Amino acid sequence: MSETNASTYYATGRRKSAIARVRISKGDGNFLINGIEATRYLQYNPQYLEYIKEPLSLVKLDSDLDIQASVLGGGISGQTGAIRLGIARALCHINTDHRVILKLEGCLTRDARVKERKKYGLKKARKAPQYSKR
């Protein structure tokens, strides 16, 4: 959430149990996640790639920025959501006019849904053991 150089911007995104620290700098469109190319890290899944790059395409900065993300925790789905939120927040640091566009598309909304905890006496969070009448 801070700015060190005039050309490098940092932001944090969270989703489920995944936490992504995103660094955006001027460049030629390189995208690295944990030091691995984004397409390979996301297992060549086009939906995940499109979902992550949505904030960039909304503000028309697809190939002008280099993005480096370090992600901890969660699975690939949660990590993509965390990276997307981090990218959107970093784009707001670059130019405050981007905030209106990204807010309307829902890119700046933190998805607060997390796994519900297991309760005692139940098999899972809400699943009860089979009822026996006798």
Side-chain angles (χ1 to χ4, degrees):
M1 295 260 196
S2 63
E3 171 186 337
T4 54
N5 294 346
S7 62
T8 305
Y9 299 89
Y10 295 88
T12 304
R14 292 183 191 86
R15 169 83 171 93
K16 293 187 177 179
S17 61
I19 300 169
R21 292 177 309 190
V22 178
R23 187 175 91 189
I24 293 182
S25 58
K26 301 241 187 286
D28 53 330
N30 295 329
F31 202 130
L32 296 175
I33 302 172
N34 290 345
I36 302 170
E37 187 182 340
T39 53
R40 203 171 107 215
Y41 188 85
L42 299 174
Q43 301 172 354
Y44 304 98
N45 188 327
Q47 282 108 1
Y48 288 151
L49 287 167
E50 187 178 321
Y51 187 69
I52 279 183
K53 293 182 178 180
E54 184 185 5
L56 294 167
S57 59
L58 286 172
V59 296
K60 297 174 180 64
L61 292 173
D62 299 35
S63 58
D64 298 345
L65 300 171
D66 284 347
I67 298 172
Q68 290 182 337
S70 67
V71 192
L72 299 169
I76 292 181
S77 176
Q79 289 181 353
T80 53
I83 293 169
R84 178 179 184 242
L85 180 61
I87 290 171
R89 285 179 173 173
L91 289 172
C92 289
H93 290 303
I94 292 173
N95 186 350
T96 55
D97 297 336
H98 296 326
R99 183 170 176 79
V100 176
I101 300 164
L102 295 170
K103 188 79 170 169
L104 284 173
E105 293 297 321
C107 293
L108 291 173
T109 305
R110 203 280 202 202
D111 191 348
R113 296 176 295 168
V114 293
K115 185 175 178 181
E116 191 174 340
R117 78 171 203 86
K118 182 193 175 298
K119 281 82 171 186
Y120 56 87
L122 300 180
K123 291 189 172 190
K124 292 167 56 176
R126 297 186 182 205
K127 183 179 180 179
Q130 185 174 2
Y131 175 74
S132 175
K133 194 169 185 178
R134 287 177 183 76

